[in-house]
Amino acid sequence: MMRKLGVGLIGTGFMGKAHAMAWRSAASFSGEVQPVLISVADIDGVAAENAAAKYGFQRWTSKWQDLIDDPEIDVISITSPNRFHAEQSLAALAAGKHVHCEKPLAPNSDIAEQMYRAAEKAGVVTQVGFNYIKNPLLKHAQTLIAEGEIGEITGFRGIHAEDFMVSPQVPWSWRLDPTGGAGAVADLGSHILGIARFLLGPVTELFADLDTVVKQRPERAGSSVMKSVEVDDIARLTVRFARGCAGYIEANWVASGHKMQLGFEVTGTQGSLIFNQERFNELQLFRFDKNEASNGFRTIVAGPDHAPYGLFCPAPGHQIGFNDLKTIEILEFIESIQSGKAAGPDFKEAYEIQRLVDASLMSSRERTWVSL
Amino acid sequence: MMRKLGVGLIGTGFMGKAHAMAWRSAASFSGEVQPVLISVADIDGVAAENAAAKYGFQRWTSKWQDLIDDPEIDVISITSPNRFHAEQSLAALAAGKHVHCEKPLAPNSDIAEQMYRAAEKAGVVTQVGFNYIKNPLLKHAQTLIAEGEIGEITGFRGIHAEDFMVSPQVPWSWRLDPTGGAGAVADLGSHILGIARFLLGPVTELFADLDTVVKQRPERAGSSVMKSVEVDDIARLTVRFARGCAGYIEANWVASGHKMQLGFEVTGTQGSLIFNQERFNELQLFRFDKNEASNGFRTIVAGPDHAPYGLFCPAPGHQIGFNDLKTIEILEFIESIQSGKAAGPDFKEAYEIQRLVDASLMSSRERTWVSL
Amino acid sequence: MMRKLGVGLIGTGFMGKAHAMAWRSAASFSGEVQPVLISVADIDGVAAENAAAKYGFQRWTSKWQDLIDDPEIDVISITSPNRFHAEQSLAALAAGKHVHCEKPLAPNSDIAEQMYRAAEKAGVVTQVGFNYIKNPLLKHAQTLIAEGEIGEITGFRGIHAEDFMVSPQVPWSWRLDPTGGAGAVADLGSHILGIARFLLGPVTELFADLDTVVKQRPERAGSSVMKSVEVDDIARLTVRFARGCAGYIEANWVASGHKMQLGFEVTGTQGSLIFNQERFNELQLFRFDKNEASNGFRTIVAGPDHAPYGLFCPAPGHQIGFNDLKTIEILEFIESIQSGKAAGPDFKEAYEIQRLVDASLMSSRERTWVSL
Amino acid sequence: MMRKLGVGLIGTGFMGKAHAMAWRSAASFSGEVQPVLISVADIDGVAAENAAAKYGFQRWTSKWQDLIDDPEIDVISITSPNRFHAEQSLAALAAGKHVHCEKPLAPNSDIAEQMYRAAEKAGVVTQVGFNYIKNPLLKHAQTLIAEGEIGEITGFRGIHAEDFMVSPQVPWSWRLDPTGGAGAVADLGSHILGIARFLLGPVTELFADLDTVVKQRPERAGSSVMKSVEVDDIARLTVRFARGCAGYIEANWVASGHKMQLGFEVTGTQGSLIFNQERFNELQLFRFDKNEASNGFRTIVAGPDHAPYGLFCPAPGHQIGFNDLKTIEILEFIESIQSGKAAGPDFKEAYEIQRLVDASLMSSRERTWVSL
């Protein structure tokens, strides 16, 4: 028996389009629960109308509250500017709707805490759009670690580096507004912190050094009026995990030449794993082997052995893309709604990640370890 | 003014699903011409009905001829088994419909010729699904070559290798039926031959050595009755291009460890290009440089500078996937219909590729060069 | 006019052999100053005698003091166990001989300081065997940075990771003796700290977290008596350079799968450099370029453009090996003696590196930043 | 009991120096048989005198015949210009001396045949300097193949590509003199043909297409008088091996960007091997595995498990260099002399390789398969 799931989308920018397409692709893949695109909201009504036509929503509105009030809508997908995430999420939760919200969930962990507690109270399912974590090979890495394939874990090194902020001509923007939270450690660091937790579990202590490399930027594009930058361009974190091992995590948006270096190395007593999002259909695995003369790091290529890759292609090596990760995210959210068990990262997990971001700010400011 | 384009799809297997999803994604991206999913046909009516529901077709049928007769349908997308491609294409062309057909177009160049001539006569637009050729970085490679960035071309080495036929337990199948054409040189070789033509233009002469590595296979899965294999597992071609340079092309479906090694190296007097589909969001470029001490092959990472990557993601390094290549294929087909100018590979181009496959069979059999 | 340089070697183990061969190879390459192998000392007289015959020393002795007293010997090469480095170096310096000593120079910076001051007083040339730093491509990297090719430096990430201590069966040894200094941070960290200083200059502040992963080891090979390990297996350092940028440095001898991962990434406002000793004939360079669509990290391959590679081979891409780095080290030492200007790393530099190691121990113990 | 082996060297150019250093390094490594550098000959007496001093020969001469007549000399190392190889080798063989000769042994297989028959008659040991084949990882590859680790061999692809001839400004030279033999197929092709035979055994049939890309070159550097080029810049060979499989081999000295791309891929029914001299301390191995989800090509890093790497360094991943390959060559030659059993490639093997070069010329000229 097929069950319909009414979807309301807030926002029609890049992530709005990505969500709309992911919901539609999910409809082709999903099982009993079939998403139906009900309505799309954008403060710019024309944008909303166009989006409805392009992506196949039944109706549109310029007031997001209409979606909250719409009884046909079961789930709200939030892709509005960050500063609206809390208000919209809380309204949707109060109306008993499931919520899928883009990251960052909130500018700090206090607000994130309110949000996850509201979700718990509402008894609905939540998910936060950490995209990259839905890679089938990351799931494989998690399984290999959990099953002890690389032995007891001895260390972690993780990085999320891009270079879109390296030019001093990139103007001041909401990304640099300290009232919205931290800089690179929030924007990029949250991804690698989430992956660290996904693979190795909770972080109990961290030491951070936050560095602002470009000290001032044009107030707006082309302006000669300069504005001071207060948030971090590079964050360097030494972390200790509850499981006993330690590691290093870096977030860096001035890493010239790197477009999407979201990578890690996990070492264990029996082997190691290496991953880099720039080649995200590959995972490197080393395991000690009796025949040392023929051993080495091997390159695992994504394929149908790594679910749900097979949904997208029946043959290995053909590669899934960034938007397919978003589709997997939505598919898992649908399954969560069906099962009532969050696939994650949910609001609670986003809160835990936000706590690490907040702790990084405090540690760097006070030049000391911070316990969590 | 938006113009609707009625789409009829034949086949609901893996490629049917891929087409359906690509048409739908294309609807989100395309401009004035908006595809509308009218009807889907499958000899198995239940499959057709399910596909209609999943992918959003307005109706379904178990008779593909219904699509030909449907006045709302402007274009037929063919994903049926290879042996039906000619009959269905010719019927659609006769009805004045645009045709998008999966490769191989035909088992030999005589039939392919009939088909492309029928298309010319009908005055419609055709396209054949060579997937990989729609990669934005291949377009970039083509442009670099055409603009002389690597100088005068001196050589080409191309390969399409996979390993799905290496196990002698893989049973005999339609792929091995010599009445359907050649083996690896048709199935895989057509891709790399198409890319060679795309980058360097026509081949005027070739010498081929076709090799059957697994001499017999079970009649069907698990059977102990063995059947002789007559088609090639590996094809090795020495080729000469009209532009004056020569090269080597290999098709190989017993290449252990390779899942999707569709790659090439083009060398010129001023530089070189290297590509491999297993990392298809990367292109290697070498150009001679005044500062030799700091020169070397550089890795170009796909991004919005390589249209139409930007349709899928606004940031470089995030990677498009296999299914996105199919969406680009459909988008370009829609543009072709709009402009009346084939984006290719059209039926004529598929015929030219088929001629190279046919010539390979003849060359290997007669152990001599064959002119085209 | 050729000038002879009498060489005395202490020690005939692996590094003794490496030195002997490097001195001999240097003789084939060097110019006016021609090294002559005078005498070799080993407490095991038979080993000394054999080494003399194999490597072509004129005489041998079981007493290293004989070399100090030998008027034909101008330079002493020290490859004895670490605990003898100070005594032998000081004796050689007191006798006015030039000294080439294997790393580590000393177990702590106090002793290292005595040694470098003794060298200054003696007015002779010293050098410490940091091997890897003599790579022509590291010199190239240093030049690129110094000339501003990658802009203002914004960050550094360096690592020296191997896996020879990962097995808990590796017994306790001098490497783990805390009276000899630290663990991985001294043994491996000194290499990457030296490279960091070589490329970017002095470190002014550091924060370290030292981790002992294998808590106890067999007293000796095969023994069931276990001995506690007090030194670090992994050291994680956050550092600040005098030039204004910051970075991360890791030393790790339990990094499963890595045999010689001595690598770094330097990022600047105009580009980046990436290096890994496991492919030490390659250097990756990224620089922002007007033509972004064809830009990317390029792989520079070592060749005659990177002096003194050309001494070893007239053609690029042929690759020099580990022992060639040792030969370059000796060649530069000979040039230093000739010019009176240390090529480095000399005793003073080894002292500076040792200070960083000492500071790491203190920082980790006190859980605080340490200024230098 | 140590036995002395008197060495005479002809030639003091680049390869002369490489031989001298290799003989000296070999002295440090070898066992019972200890090479002693007796005399060096160069038509330029001053060069000979300098070489004697630098490399430690006891005497020198401007007449190579002096070495032949010298009773203290047991082995002649020939590094003179190619056109002297035959005369000098034959004289040395006639005098009962062992001969180590640089490649190419001879301009054609007739002369090579005379030479190997003379060696057989003389009952001495010969070796030809194919350098790269002495890589410990190639020996490992050979062993893996021989032991069936990758199953029955199904195909080979080999290439030796460099770019030192790509500029049309590179003048005409002895390399291009057709009386000295072929072009790239002789100069570079002989290396990859030798490796193909080393790994897979004899070639029984080949088809070649030889291509001259730069049709004319300055008579000499800077000259405006142009001279026609008659030899191949690129050679493309389809080959069939006696063991039943086939393959492709390319020699190319106009391959822009490649400095030392001497590589191959061997595929078998159970796995594959990939190698490239540009990273010659690495070998890629794929083997089918029960756990497909964690399988992939693995990178084997050279180490002491791959004899005789351990002679050069006790730790893996430190890398040997090009000159170390030459030392291994000499060490194996010394062992051959001691055992009376050629380590190869000896004159007979060089003759077999030369036959393949000759057959390539004939095949390309006659546009037909040639049997061997």
Side-chain angles (χ1 to χ4, degrees):
Chain A
M1 223 342 263
M2 197 179 282
R3 189 156 68 90
K4 292 205 177 293
L5 183 74
V7 176
L9 170 68
I10 308 179
T12 65
F14 171 64
M15 285 314 295
K17 176 178 170 184
H19 278 230
M21 294 186 68
W23 278 107
R24 284 214 330 199
S25 295
S28 305
F29 291 132
S30 62
E32 292 174 39
V33 175
Q34 191 70 15
V36 180
L37 305 192
I38 304 292
S39 184
V40 56
D42 197 300
I43 199 167
D44 171 356
V46 177
E49 184 172 10
N50 284 341
K54 280 262 178 188
Y55 311 134
F57 284 87
Q58 296 175 4
R59 44 188 179 270
W60 61 270
T61 170
S62 61
K63 285 178 294 189
W64 62 265
Q65 292 88 346
D66 289 346
L67 307 190
I68 308 297
D69 299 335
D70 192 328
E72 278 192 273
I73 290 177
D74 302 301
V75 48
I76 302 283
S77 227
I78 300 175
T79 70
S80 53
N82 299 346
R83 65 187 183 281
F84 298 117
H85 289 183
E87 181 187 6
Q88 294 169 346
S89 292
L90 290 169
L93 293 170
K97 299 194 191 297
H98 305 291
V99 183
H100 182 273
C101 183
E102 266 313 297
K103 67 156 275 266
L105 187 60
N108 60 54
S109 54
D110 286 345
I111 298 176
E113 188 172 6
Q114 288 173 43
M115 294 168 77
Y116 98 75
R117 291 203 187 276
E120 285 188 342
K121 196 172 148 204
V124 296
V125 173
T126 58
Q127 193 158 350
V128 182
F130 281 102
N131 309 323
Y132 313 109
I133 212 164
K134 294 304 177 184
N135 185 341
L137 285 178
L138 289 199
K139 214 161 292 180
H140 190 55
Q142 189 197 42
T143 303
L144 290 169
I145 292 168
E147 291 179 349
E149 283 291 313
I150 60 168
E152 197 181 331
I153 303 308
T154 57
F156 179 82
R157 210 175 324 114
I159 186 165
H160 189 157
E162 306 193 14
D163 70 0
F164 61 95
M165 296 293 281
V166 70
S167 165
Q169 303 312 316
V170 174
W172 208 89
S173 72
W174 59 267
R175 284 185 200 276
L176 301 173
D177 184 349
T179 67
V185 72
D187 191 31
L188 304 186
S190 57
H191 286 293
I192 186 64
L193 285 163
I195 289 173
R197 283 177 52 87
F198 176 72
L199 297 174
L200 300 184
V203 168
T204 52
E205 204 179 12
L206 67 75
F207 177 90
D209 185 35
L210 271 52
D211 200 7
T212 306
V213 168
V214 182
K215 310 288 192 199
Q216 49 177 20
R217 294 183 181 274
E219 204 177 31
R220 67 185 63 83
S223 166
S224 63
V225 180
M226 302 302 278
K227 195 162 173 178
S228 256
V229 176
E230 294 173 49
V231 303
D232 55 297
D233 291 319
I234 308 176
R236 297 180 177 88
L237 281 61
T238 306
V239 298
R240 295 202 160 272
F241 291 91
R243 68 191 299 147
C245 68
Y248 170 72
I249 288 175
E250 180 175 326
N252 188 333
W253 61 27
V254 294
S256 296
H258 292 293
K259 306 309 172 189
M260 191 59 222
Q261 187 194 13
L262 171 56
F264 61 78
E265 174 160 352
V266 186
T267 51
T269 51
Q270 301 295 324
S272 292
L273 288 164
I274 302 177
F275 174 80
N276 183 356
Q277 181 72 18
E278 288 185 347
R279 289 176 176 168
F280 80 78
N281 285 275
E282 297 179 10
L283 175 69
Q284 308 284 326
L285 168 65
F286 174 85
R287 279 190 298 191
F288 286 105
D289 200 293
K290 272 168 203 160
N291 185 359
E292 282 194 37
S294 293
N295 200 14
F297 274 95
R298 64 183 71 182
T299 302
I300 302 169
V301 174
D305 290 324
H306 314 103
Y309 174 100
L311 285 182
F312 299 91
C313 185
H318 283 59
Q319 299 187 35
I320 56 173
F322 171 76
N323 289 317
D324 298 326
L325 299 181
K326 206 72 197 169
T327 300
I328 297 174
E329 188 180 306
I330 295 295
L331 277 171
E332 294 197 354
F333 185 45
I334 294 171
E335 286 164 23
S336 298
I337 291 171
Q338 194 173 4
S339 69
K341 187 162 153 284
D346 61 4
F347 280 17
K348 176 68 161 48
E349 175 63 13
Y351 157 72
E352 295 290 353
I353 292 168
Q354 188 60 48
R355 283 181 70 212
L356 296 174
V357 171
D358 290 3
S360 298
L361 286 168
M362 181 190 293
S363 170
S364 185
R365 196 171 53 233
E366 315 217 337
R367 295 169 58 87
T368 181
W369 283 95
V370 169
S371 290
L372 288 135
Chain B
M1 218 351 254
M2 199 178 282
R3 190 157 68 91
K4 291 201 180 296
L5 183 74
V7 177
L9 170 68
I10 308 179
T12 65
F14 171 64
M15 284 315 295
K17 176 178 171 183
H19 278 231
M21 293 185 69
W23 278 107
R24 284 215 329 200
S25 295
S28 305
F29 291 132
S30 63
E32 291 173 40
V33 175
Q34 191 69 15
V36 179
L37 306 192
I38 305 293
S39 184
V40 55
D42 197 301
I43 199 167
D44 171 356
V46 176
E49 184 173 10
N50 284 340
K54 281 261 179 188
Y55 310 134
F57 284 87
Q58 298 175 5
R59 45 188 180 268
W60 60 270
T61 170
S62 61
K63 285 178 293 190
W64 63 264
Q65 292 88 346
D66 290 347
L67 305 189
I68 308 296
D69 299 336
D70 191 329
E72 278 192 90
I73 289 177
D74 303 301
V75 47
I76 302 283
S77 226
I78 301 175
T79 70
S80 53
N82 299 344
R83 65 186 183 280
F84 298 117
H85 288 183
E87 180 187 7
Q88 294 170 346
S89 291
L90 291 169
L93 293 170
K97 299 192 191 297
H98 307 291
V99 182
H100 182 272
C101 183
E102 267 313 297
K103 67 157 275 268
L105 187 60
N108 60 56
S109 53
D110 286 347
I111 298 176
E113 188 173 5
Q114 288 174 43
M115 293 168 78
Y116 97 76
R117 292 204 187 276
E120 284 188 344
K121 194 173 149 205
V124 297
V125 174
T126 58
Q127 193 159 346
V128 181
F130 280 102
N131 309 323
Y132 312 108
I133 212 163
K134 293 304 178 185
N135 185 341
L137 285 178
L138 289 199
K139 213 160 291 179
H140 190 54
Q142 189 197 42
T143 302
L144 290 170
I145 292 167
E147 291 179 350
E149 284 289 313
I150 60 168
E152 197 181 331
I153 304 307
T154 56
F156 179 82
R157 210 175 323 115
I159 185 164
H160 189 158
E162 305 195 14
D163 70 0
F164 62 95
M165 296 294 281
V166 70
S167 165
Q169 303 310 316
V170 174
W172 207 89
S173 72
W174 57 268
R175 283 184 200 278
L176 302 172
D177 184 349
T179 68
V185 72
D187 190 31
L188 305 186
S190 56
H191 286 293
I192 186 64
L193 285 164
I195 288 173
R197 284 177 51 88
F198 176 71
L199 296 174
L200 300 184
V203 168
T204 52
E205 204 180 11
L206 67 75
F207 177 90
D209 184 36
L210 272 50
D211 200 7
T212 306
V213 168
V214 182
K215 311 287 192 200
Q216 51 177 20
R217 294 183 180 274
E219 202 178 32
R220 67 183 62 83
S223 166
S224 63
V225 180
M226 302 302 279
K227 195 162 175 176
S228 256
V229 177
E230 294 172 50
V231 302
D232 55 297
D233 291 319
I234 308 176
R236 297 181 176 89
L237 280 61
T238 307
V239 298
R240 294 202 161 271
F241 292 89
R243 68 190 301 148
C245 68
Y248 170 73
I249 289 176
E250 180 175 326
N252 188 333
W253 62 25
V254 293
S256 296
H258 292 293
K259 306 308 171 188
M260 190 59 222
Q261 187 194 13
L262 171 57
F264 61 79
E265 175 159 352
V266 186
T267 52
T269 51
Q270 301 296 324
S272 292
L273 288 165
I274 302 176
F275 174 80
N276 182 356
Q277 180 71 20
E278 288 186 347
R279 289 177 176 166
F280 79 78
N281 285 277
E282 297 179 9
L283 176 69
Q284 309 284 327
L285 168 65
F286 174 85
R287 279 190 297 193
F288 285 105
D289 200 296
K290 272 168 204 160
N291 185 358
E292 282 194 38
S294 293
N295 201 13
F297 274 94
R298 63 183 71 183
T299 302
I300 302 169
V301 174
D305 290 325
H306 314 102
Y309 174 101
L311 284 181
F312 299 92
C313 184
H318 283 58
Q319 299 188 32
I320 55 173
F322 170 75
N323 289 317
D324 298 327
L325 299 181
K326 205 73 196 169
T327 298
I328 297 174
E329 187 180 308
I330 295 294
L331 276 171
E332 295 196 355
F333 185 43
I334 294 171
E335 286 164 22
S336 298
I337 290 171
Q338 193 172 4
S339 69
K341 187 163 154 283
D346 62 4
F347 280 17
K348 176 67 161 45
E349 175 64 13
Y351 158 72
E352 295 291 351
I353 293 168
Q354 188 61 46
R355 283 181 69 212
L356 296 173
V357 171
D358 290 4
S360 299
L361 285 168
M362 180 190 293
S363 170
S364 184
R365 197 172 51 234
E366 314 217 337
R367 293 169 59 88
T368 182
W369 284 96
V370 170
S371 290
L372 288 135
Chain C
M1 221 345 260
M2 198 179 284
R3 190 157 68 91
K4 293 202 177 294
L5 183 75
V7 176
L9 171 68
I10 308 178
T12 64
F14 172 64
M15 284 314 296
K17 176 177 170 182
H19 278 231
M21 293 185 68
W23 278 107
R24 284 213 330 200
S25 295
S28 305
F29 291 132
S30 62
E32 293 175 40
V33 174
Q34 190 69 16
V36 180
L37 306 192
I38 304 293
S39 185
V40 55
D42 196 301
I43 200 168
D44 171 356
V46 177
E49 185 174 8
N50 284 341
K54 280 262 180 189
Y55 310 134
F57 284 87
Q58 297 174 5
R59 45 189 179 268
W60 60 271
T61 171
S62 62
K63 285 178 294 190
W64 62 265
Q65 293 87 348
D66 290 347
L67 306 190
I68 308 297
D69 299 336
D70 191 328
E72 278 192 272
I73 289 177
D74 302 301
V75 48
I76 302 283
S77 226
I78 300 175
T79 71
S80 53
N82 298 345
R83 66 185 183 281
F84 298 117
H85 288 183
E87 180 187 7
Q88 293 169 347
S89 291
L90 290 170
L93 293 170
K97 299 193 191 300
H98 305 291
V99 182
H100 183 273
C101 183
E102 267 312 298
K103 68 157 274 267
L105 187 60
N108 59 56
S109 54
D110 287 345
I111 297 177
E113 188 173 5
Q114 287 173 43
M115 293 168 77
Y116 99 75
R117 292 202 187 277
E120 285 188 344
K121 195 172 147 202
V124 296
V125 174
T126 58
Q127 193 160 347
V128 181
F130 280 101
N131 309 323
Y132 312 109
I133 212 164
K134 293 304 176 185
N135 185 342
L137 284 179
L138 288 200
K139 213 160 293 179
H140 190 55
Q142 189 196 44
T143 303
L144 290 170
I145 292 168
E147 291 178 350
E149 284 289 314
I150 59 168
E152 197 181 331
I153 302 308
T154 56
F156 179 83
R157 211 175 323 113
I159 186 165
H160 189 156
E162 306 194 14
D163 69 0
F164 62 95
M165 296 294 281
V166 70
S167 165
Q169 303 310 318
V170 173
W172 208 89
S173 72
W174 58 267
R175 283 184 200 276
L176 302 173
D177 184 348
T179 68
V185 72
D187 190 31
L188 304 187
S190 56
H191 285 293
I192 186 63
L193 285 164
I195 288 172
R197 283 176 52 86
F198 177 71
L199 297 175
L200 300 185
V203 168
T204 52
E205 205 179 10
L206 67 75
F207 178 90
D209 184 35
L210 272 50
D211 200 7
T212 306
V213 168
V214 182
K215 311 287 192 200
Q216 50 177 21
R217 293 183 180 274
E219 202 178 34
R220 67 184 62 83
S223 166
S224 64
V225 180
M226 302 302 277
K227 195 162 173 177
S228 256
V229 176
E230 295 173 49
V231 302
D232 55 297
D233 291 319
I234 308 176
R236 297 180 177 88
L237 281 61
T238 306
V239 298
R240 294 201 160 272
F241 292 90
R243 69 191 299 148
C245 68
Y248 170 72
I249 289 176
E250 180 175 326
N252 188 331
W253 61 25
V254 294
S256 296
H258 292 293
K259 306 309 171 188
M260 189 60 222
Q261 187 194 12
L262 171 56
F264 61 80
E265 175 159 351
V266 186
T267 51
T269 51
Q270 300 296 324
S272 292
L273 288 164
I274 302 177
F275 174 80
N276 182 356
Q277 180 73 20
E278 288 185 347
R279 288 177 176 168
F280 79 79
N281 285 275
E282 297 179 9
L283 176 68
Q284 309 283 326
L285 168 65
F286 174 85
R287 279 189 299 193
F288 285 105
D289 200 294
K290 272 167 204 161
N291 185 358
E292 282 193 39
S294 293
N295 201 14
F297 274 95
R298 63 183 72 183
T299 302
I300 302 169
V301 174
D305 289 325
H306 314 103
Y309 175 101
L311 285 181
F312 298 91
C313 185
H318 283 59
Q319 298 188 32
I320 56 173
F322 170 75
N323 289 317
D324 298 327
L325 299 181
K326 205 72 197 170
T327 299
I328 297 174
E329 186 181 308
I330 295 294
L331 276 170
E332 293 197 355
F333 186 43
I334 294 171
E335 286 163 23
S336 298
I337 290 171
Q338 194 173 2
S339 69
K341 187 161 154 284
D346 61 5
F347 279 18
K348 176 68 161 48
E349 175 63 13
Y351 157 74
E352 295 291 352
I353 293 169
Q354 187 60 46
R355 282 181 71 211
L356 296 173
V357 172
D358 290 4
S360 298
L361 286 168
M362 181 189 293
S363 170
S364 185
R365 198 172 51 234
E366 315 217 336
R367 294 169 58 88
T368 182
W369 283 96
V370 169
S371 291
L372 287 137
Chain D
M1 224 340 264
M2 198 179 283
R3 189 156 69 90
K4 293 203 178 295
L5 183 74
V7 176
L9 171 68
I10 308 179
T12 65
F14 171 64
M15 285 314 295
K17 176 177 170 183
H19 278 230
M21 292 185 70
W23 278 108
R24 283 214 330 201
S25 295
S28 305
F29 291 132
S30 62
E32 291 175 40
V33 175
Q34 190 68 16
V36 180
L37 306 192
I38 304 291
S39 186
V40 56
D42 197 301
I43 199 168
D44 171 355
V46 177
E49 184 173 10
N50 283 341
K54 280 261 179 188
Y55 310 135
F57 284 87
Q58 297 175 5
R59 44 189 180 268
W60 60 270
T61 170
S62 61
K63 286 178 292 189
W64 61 265
Q65 294 85 349
D66 290 347
L67 306 190
I68 308 297
D69 300 336
D70 191 328
E72 279 192 272
I73 289 176
D74 303 302
V75 48
I76 302 284
S77 226
I78 299 174
T79 70
S80 53
N82 299 345
R83 66 186 183 280
F84 299 117
H85 288 183
E87 181 187 6
Q88 294 169 346
S89 291
L90 291 170
L93 293 170
K97 299 195 192 296
H98 306 291
V99 183
H100 181 273
C101 183
E102 267 313 298
K103 67 156 276 264
L105 187 60
N108 59 55
S109 54
D110 287 345
I111 297 177
E113 187 172 7
Q114 288 174 41
M115 293 168 78
Y116 98 75
R117 293 204 187 276
E120 284 188 344
K121 195 173 148 203
V124 296
V125 174
T126 58
Q127 193 159 348
V128 180
F130 280 101
N131 309 322
Y132 312 109
I133 213 164
K134 294 304 177 183
N135 185 342
L137 285 179
L138 289 200
K139 212 160 293 180
H140 190 55
Q142 189 197 43
T143 303
L144 289 170
I145 292 168
E147 292 178 350
E149 284 289 314
I150 59 168
E152 198 180 331
I153 304 307
T154 56
F156 179 83
R157 210 176 324 114
I159 186 164
H160 189 157
E162 305 195 14
D163 70 0
F164 62 95
M165 296 294 281
V166 71
S167 165
Q169 303 310 318
V170 173
W172 208 90
S173 73
W174 58 267
R175 284 185 200 275
L176 301 173
D177 184 350
T179 67
V185 72
D187 190 32
L188 303 187
S190 57
H191 285 294
I192 186 63
L193 286 164
I195 288 173
R197 284 177 51 87
F198 176 71
L199 297 175
L200 300 185
V203 169
T204 52
E205 204 178 11
L206 66 76
F207 178 90
D209 185 34
L210 272 50
D211 200 6
T212 305
V213 168
V214 183
K215 310 288 192 200
Q216 51 177 19
R217 294 182 180 273
E219 202 178 33
R220 66 184 64 82
S223 167
S224 63
V225 181
M226 301 303 278
K227 196 163 174 176
S228 257
V229 176
E230 295 172 50
V231 303
D232 54 298
D233 291 319
I234 308 175
R236 297 182 177 87
L237 280 61
T238 307
V239 298
R240 294 202 161 272
F241 292 91
R243 68 192 298 148
C245 67
Y248 171 72
I249 288 176
E250 180 175 327
N252 188 333
W253 61 27
V254 294
S256 295
H258 292 293
K259 306 309 171 188
M260 189 60 222
Q261 188 194 11
L262 171 58
F264 61 79
E265 174 158 353
V266 187
T267 51
T269 51
Q270 301 296 324
S272 293
L273 288 164
I274 302 177
F275 174 80
N276 182 355
Q277 181 71 20
E278 288 186 347
R279 288 177 177 168
F280 79 79
N281 285 276
E282 297 179 10
L283 175 69
Q284 309 284 326
L285 168 65
F286 174 85
R287 278 190 298 192
F288 286 105
D289 199 294
K290 272 167 204 160
N291 185 357
E292 281 193 38
S294 294
N295 200 14
F297 274 96
R298 62 183 73 182
T299 303
I300 302 169
V301 174
D305 289 325
H306 314 102
Y309 175 101
L311 284 181
F312 298 91
C313 184
H318 283 59
Q319 299 188 34
I320 56 173
F322 170 75
N323 288 316
D324 298 327
L325 299 181
K326 206 71 197 169
T327 299
I328 297 174
E329 187 180 307
I330 295 295
L331 276 171
E332 294 197 354
F333 186 43
I334 294 171
E335 286 163 23
S336 297
I337 291 171
Q338 194 172 3
S339 69
K341 188 162 153 285
D346 62 3
F347 279 17
K348 176 69 161 45
E349 175 64 14
Y351 157 73
E352 296 290 353
I353 293 169
Q354 188 59 48
R355 283 181 69 212
L356 296 174
V357 171
D358 290 3
S360 298
L361 286 168
M362 180 189 294
S363 170
S364 185
R365 198 172 49 234
E366 315 216 337
R367 293 169 59 86
T368 183
W369 284 96
V370 170
S371 291
L372 288 137

